[in-house]
Amino acid sequence: MRLNSYVYFGIAAVCFSLIGAAVYMQLALDMLPCPLCVLQRYAFIGTGLFALIAGVQNSVRRPATALALASALGGAGVAAKHLYVLANPATSCGIDPLETGLNKIFLADWLPAVFRADGLCDTPYAPILGLSIPGWTMVWYCLMSIVLLVLLLQKNRPVSIFSDAR
């Protein structure tokens, strides 16, 4: 197995773990997700799924990496908007067409605990280790984007963890 495959699997594991943490905070800590939170969840799922595909299937590794990178960059953009809303509470997204549209997507009906937007974007939850939740998602999106960009620009050399390094 190529060393890069482990990196892709690590990215996927981080994405799916972050979705698990978001669902935990929602169900156990009563932190309702806002429309921007739900969009960030979609971006994490997209990044994780495309990273998983890139790790498993060599024939589509570059396109899957590009799609994972696009998902991570899109998520970073949504996280930036969320941070802007938190910094400027007068620009709250509140109940708006975005929330109505998101809640009509079939996934919001199938898995409402994960994909239903019921919260307000400007709700000031307590920071975790000094950063807000959108701040942490921005950190993760930036880290994953850098790693995915390096993987995308990397030459196609077969590198194995079992190869002879001399």
Side-chain angles (χ1 to χ4, degrees), residues 37-49:
C37 296
V38 172
L39 287 174
Q40 290 171 71
R41 289 179 185 188
Y42 279 120
F44 274 126
I45 289 172
T47 304
L49 284 176

Side-chain angles (χ1 to χ4, degrees), residues 3-164:
L3 181 60
N4 288 352
S5 294
Y6 290 109
V7 176
Y8 288 115
F9 294 145
I11 290 171
V14 166
C15 288
F16 299 138
S17 297
L18 290 170
I19 293 295
V23 171
Y24 169 78
M25 287 188 285
Q26 177 182 345
L27 298 178
L29 304 177
D30 292 325
M31 297 173 135
L32 295 176
C34 69
L36 296 176
C37 296
V38 172
L39 287 174
Q40 290 171 71
R41 289 179 185 188
Y42 279 120
F44 274 126
I45 289 172
T47 304
L49 284 176
F50 289 124
L52 193 60
I53 291 168
V56 171
Q57 193 68 357
N58 280 339
S59 64
V60 295
R61 179 161 283 170
R62 292 189 73 78
T65 302
L67 290 170
L69 178 60
S71 295
L73 291 173
V78 174
K81 169 69 173 171
H82 201 164
L83 289 169
Y84 177 79
V85 168
L86 287 177
N88 303 296
T91 61
S92 172
C93 65
I95 298 175
D96 62 6
L98 178 61
E99 181 177 340
T100 305
L102 276 174
N103 288 339
K104 289 185 179 183
I105 296 175
F106 69 95
L107 288 174
D109 290 332
W110 287 357
L111 290 170
V114 179
F115 297 113
R116 182 154 181 83
D118 290 326
L120 299 174
C121 296
D122 61 349
T123 303
Y125 291 115
I128 301 169
L129 298 175
L131 283 178
S132 64
I133 295 170
W136 278 112
T137 61
M138 178 64 92
V139 167
W140 282 110
Y141 281 128
C142 289
L143 288 173
M144 285 186 274
S145 295
I146 291 167
V147 171
L148 288 165
L149 184 62
V150 168
L151 289 169
L152 189 63
L153 297 176
Q154 190 176 37
K155 296 285 186 216
N156 224 1
R157 294 174 285 156
V159 177
S160 173
I161 60 170
F162 302 111
S163 65
D164 259 357

